[in-house]
Amino acid sequence: MNKLLIIGNWKCNPTTLAKAKQLFNSVKKGIKKIKNIEVVICPPFVYLSVLAASAKGYGGLRFGSQDCFWEDKGSFTGEISPAMLKDTGCEYVIIGHSERRKYQKETDEMINNKIKAALKAGLKVILCIEKIIQIKKDLKNIKKEQLKNLIIAYEPIFAIGTGKPCAVEKAKKMRNVIGNILKINPVLYGGSVNSQNANDYIEKAGFQGLLIGSASLNPKEFLAIVKNISKN
Ligand code: 13P
């Protein structure tokens, strides 16, 4: 069986590299003995290469980015490409987060292009969805055999950053619906996960991992989640 996946999405935090290093080092130290969970940190782009370089040769933590562009290079001011991410040591990329759909007005077509480019570059894609219809739209024209590096994250918007997690039964239903469409792909839950509720989404609802926002900024809480899940 594949390892359970715990992903820390730092979003637009923290505000300095010094604080990012401090947070990263606490997590790195804390997961040293954890062998049965894949822990992925997704810091802001500006910290990614520094942190990844500092962790070189250290097998315990993986890196992901919070977004990527759909071209590898060229005149696209401000964009970061999948090739650049690979080169910094990234293995994962989050695509289609609801905050990007909302604030950057990302459409399903843009998300579809990003997924194609990221998979082509050899990155593992964590596609965030709230509604089942997004799976069809965001994966349009991508063949099933190209989807072996796809992970779905079910993130209901009402649960994101609100402290109001999705009821486990409801999450389980969604997990099963997604599983019927994409049989082999891991499915994660995200939205107000903390050390008290984390295990329910794995044990009771059958998710293969968690996508964690706010709690990933608190090393004590994040490590408590990882340790609870590692007992499975
Ligand atoms: P919170 O854990 O802060 O609710 O955020 C979830 C999320 O959006 C992870 O991508």
Side-chain angles (χ1 to χ4, degrees), residues 52-121:
S54 82
K56 246 195 180 130
Y58 179 82
L61 275 175
R62 314 275 161 185
F63 287 92
S65 108
Q66 299 171 18
D67 178 41
C68 72
F69 192 49
W70 56 75
E71 299 284 349
D72 263 348
K73 60 184 172 119
S75 303
F76 305 106
T77 303
E79 295 294 356
I80 310 281
S81 80
M84 293 170 190
L85 292 174
K86 273 291 267 191
D87 189 58
T88 61
C90 251
E91 285 178 54
Y92 291 83
V93 56
I94 297 170
I95 296 180
H97 194 283
S98 59
E99 286 153 8
R100 293 201 60 85
R101 293 182 197 253
K102 180 178 173 190
Y103 298 114
Q104 275 72 33
K105 308 275 178 266
E106 282 195 7
T107 62
D108 291 305
E109 192 187 350
M110 290 158 82
I111 291 164
N112 178 255
N113 286 333
K114 289 181 178 202
I115 295 171
K116 286 178 186 160
L119 289 174
K120 198 169 151 213

Side-chain angles (χ1 to χ4, degrees), residues 98-212:
S98 59
E99 286 153 8
R100 293 201 60 85
R101 293 182 197 253
K102 180 178 173 190
Y103 298 114
Q104 275 72 33
K105 308 275 178 266
E106 282 195 7
T107 62
D108 291 305
E109 192 187 350
M110 290 158 82
I111 291 164
N112 178 255
N113 286 333
K114 289 181 178 202
I115 295 171
K116 286 178 186 160
L119 289 174
K120 198 169 151 213
L123 291 164
K124 292 175 190 159
V125 170
I126 301 146
L127 168 63
C128 298
I129 60 138
E130 183 190 43
K131 297 191 173 83
I132 295 297
I133 183 73
Q134 289 166 329
I135 297 179
K136 197 171 161 204
K137 289 183 177 170
D138 297 344
L139 300 181
K140 196 175 166 190
N141 294 332
I142 307 179
K143 293 195 180 81
K144 277 248 160 83
E145 58 269 23
Q146 292 170 305
L147 293 180
K148 62 178 193 314
N149 279 337
L150 178 81
I151 296 147
I152 299 285
Y154 169 58
E155 293 213 315
I157 291 171
F158 67 81
I160 297 180
T162 58
K164 293 180 183 142
C166 182
V168 175
E169 271 311 306
K170 183 179 179 217
K172 184 179 177 177
K173 274 188 197 149
M174 283 299 282
R175 197 261 161 267
N176 291 339
V177 176
I178 298 166
N180 284 336
I181 300 168
L182 294 164
K183 300 209 163 37
I184 60 158
N185 301 84
V187 186
L188 316 180
Y189 169 77
S192 296
V193 173
N194 58 40
S195 58
Q196 304 301 305
N197 62 25
N199 218 12
D200 287 347
Y201 294 103
I202 307 293
E203 256 192 79
K204 296 186 185 158
F207 287 91
Q208 282 89 16
L210 302 163
L211 181 52
I212 300 165

Side-chain angles (χ1 to χ4, degrees), residues 1-5 36 184 186 208:
M1 200 183 107
N2 285 337
K3 284 181 180 180
L4 294 169
L5 200 52
N36 58 342
I184 60 158
Q208 282 89 16

